[in-house]
Amino acid sequence: MKPEASAAFALRPDLTQFNHASYGLSSRRIIAEGDRLRLQIESDPTVHLGSELTRRLAAQTTSVAEVLGVDGTRMTLCANATSAAAAIVASVPISPDSTVVVLDVEYSSIRRAWEIACSKAGARLVSVAVPVPLESTDALLATLDDQVPGRVDYLQVSAITSSTAIRMPLPALGEWVEQRGGRLIVDAAHGPGHIPLPPELWDAAAVFGTLHKWFPTLRPVGFLWLNSELDVRPAEVSLTWDSSDLVERFSWPGTFDPVPRLCMETAIGQWLEWQSAGLIDDCVKLADAADQLLADVGARHTAATEFKPPRLRSFILDGVTAPQIKDALLAAGIRAWVGNGAGGECLLRLATHIYNDENDVDRVTNRIQEVLSR
């Protein structure tokens, strides 16, 4: 672990952390900013949680939209990716004649949300098995054509899949669903602070995601972007549910803690400092190094190079089980995501951050090699 970078976080010094992509990691600067804001709110909650709050949230939304490069008038902050997805699924029109397509590499709760909505509406839900490792866009489109004949109303995909860490070819998928007469819904939980988010280039109707994974802000905070066609309301009917203003509509889901959202501008500032100092680029180089070293000891990539995200990589570990890998890493003080893929395969996912260094990569590689060689 880099001592100079690790000082920015409250991580235990004896841990090797490769799992910030699951929950995010707040920096000490943002923790201090959160404490300041909470004291401010408690000094006069009638004002700070009242009419002033929407104005402050609107300013934070503008800052987030600017760094993401999206239209701020079409975006709002929300609790997290799950709440944004719930709002979309509850709002879009679904009938017994509808067909919804969800890839089997999508996040499990998102797939479940569509299952419930389609079941209630009597709609058709098609789960498409994505070939893993994903080798080409043509292979994915051929799979879709083979498994989904006819018209489609919605296609749910991830900008970067969670467990398998595949950067999906969104422009091609957007074109595919448009040709079928449908709309593209994008889960960008692993996008902000990691990859550019140009929803217009994807022909997306809606994009939702999480901001506390790759920015150093407090958790939880998410975002929702909509094109001009969709009218999406929060899943919970609160006092601002009927507002015509998107930010106000999502600014009061009942009594809640707005501090994570109010910290976004400070978190973006710190992230921009890291980027200017070249620290984010160093993370990408470190991910590439881990990619090669783990492949050398027998791990298989989940996708070809063109589908690999900059700082999130996933590997198939043959001949072992997820509990075996979890136990081995936990015992060594290494934190990484380990689980099963849609086909039951054992997956290891690593996310590189500014506190990681070559020694961290060597540690996880050596541990994986030990388990695979047993």
Side-chain angles (χ1 to χ4, degrees):
M1 182 183 293
K2 292 180 182 175
E4 66 279 11
S6 64
F9 299 90
L11 272 175
R12 278 171 42 189
D14 59 327
L15 291 183
T16 298
Q17 169 71 299
F18 280 114
N19 195 33
H20 80 267
S22 283
Y23 309 108
L25 195 65
S26 304
S27 68
R28 293 183 186 274
R29 181 189 300 182
I30 307 306
I31 292 171
E33 174 66 1
D35 290 342
R36 184 191 70 81
L37 287 168
R38 287 196 173 95
L39 286 174
Q40 181 189 65
I41 288 171
E42 295 307 321
S43 72
D44 192 350
T46 301
V47 170
H48 298 306
L49 294 179
S51 58
E52 176 189 277
L53 182 59
T54 299
R55 176 183 57 77
R56 296 178 71 178
L57 291 175
Q60 296 293 327
T61 302
T62 298
S63 295
V64 173
E66 287 177 355
V67 76
L68 297 186
V70 302
D71 184 350
T73 65
R74 297 183 181 181
M75 199 195 87
T76 184
L77 302 182
C78 57
N80 47 47
T82 303
S83 63
I88 293 169
V89 174
S91 298
V92 297
I94 303 177
S95 72
D97 297 327
S98 299
T99 296
V100 177
V101 178
V102 180
L103 306 184
D104 69 347
V105 291
E106 295 303 298
Y107 196 66
S108 58
S109 67
I110 304 301
R111 286 190 282 114
R112 183 62 179 138
W114 283 109
E115 287 175 1
I116 293 170
C118 289
S119 176
K120 288 180 178 179
R124 177 174 176 242
L125 178 71
V126 182
S127 178
V128 174
V130 174
V132 177
L134 182 63
E135 300 293 347
S136 71
T137 299
D138 288 344
L140 178 57
L141 295 178
T143 299
L144 282 166
D145 285 335
D146 181 59
Q147 298 187 33
V148 190
R151 191 183 187 283
V152 171
D153 291 87
Y154 305 102
L155 171 62
Q156 171 71 66
V157 299
S158 290
I160 298 172
T161 61
S162 181
S163 303
T164 48
I166 299 172
R167 186 172 182 174
M168 302 301 286
L170 292 178
L173 292 172
E175 183 178 351
W176 181 88
V177 71
E178 185 179 11
Q179 291 174 350
R180 297 299 189 94
R183 293 164 167 169
L184 181 68
I185 310 294
V186 178
D187 177 352
H190 290 287
H194 188 193
I195 61 171
L197 294 179
E200 294 90 346
L201 298 183
W202 303 332
D203 289 327
V207 181
F208 63 89
T210 303
L211 296 169
H212 60 253
K213 288 183 182 290
W214 296 90
F215 290 117
T217 194
L218 299 175
R219 66 184 73 82
V221 55
F223 80 98
L224 171 64
W225 178 93
L226 302 169
N227 70 4
S228 58
E229 300 174 4
L230 291 185
D231 180 27
V232 172
R233 304 279 162 170
E236 62 275 274
V237 180
S238 64
L239 295 174
T240 59
W241 191 90
D242 291 301
S243 176
S244 60
D245 180 80
L246 189 60
V247 171
E248 184 176 47
R249 193 182 305 166
F250 282 81
S251 67
W252 191 255
T255 302
F256 79 115
D257 180 10
V259 168
R261 304 186 199 187
L262 296 176
C263 283
M264 278 308 306
E265 193 171 64
T266 304
I268 289 169
Q270 187 168 34
W271 178 85
L272 289 172
E273 290 175 13
W274 295 340
Q275 188 178 59
S276 297
L279 299 180
I280 304 297
D281 288 340
D282 289 345
C283 294
V284 177
K285 295 174 183 175
L286 200 61
D288 289 339
D291 222 37
Q292 185 60 56
L293 288 172
L294 281 162
D296 290 343
V297 301
R300 292 193 294 128
H301 301 131
T302 56
T305 300
E306 65 180 293
F307 304 113
K308 293 178 183 178
R311 298 165 52 199
L312 188 67
R313 307 294 171 86
S314 190
F315 307 87
I316 302 168
L317 304 180
D318 298 310
V320 295
T321 66
Q324 286 175 319
I325 298 298
K326 284 182 180 180
D327 290 345
L329 295 183
L330 284 171
I334 300 170
R335 303 295 185 255
W337 185 89
V338 179
N340 293 321
E345 65 274 25
C346 177
L347 297 175
L348 166 70
R349 189 190 71 190
L350 304 181
T352 54
H353 208 342
I354 67 165
Y355 44 71
N356 292 123
D357 60 15
E358 292 80 2
N359 290 330
D360 294 340
V361 172
D362 289 341
R363 287 194 69 204
V364 71
T365 302
N366 292 338
R367 197 60 173 162
I368 295 300
Q369 184 177 29
E370 290 174 12
V371 179
L372 293 179
S373 63
R374 289 175 186 170

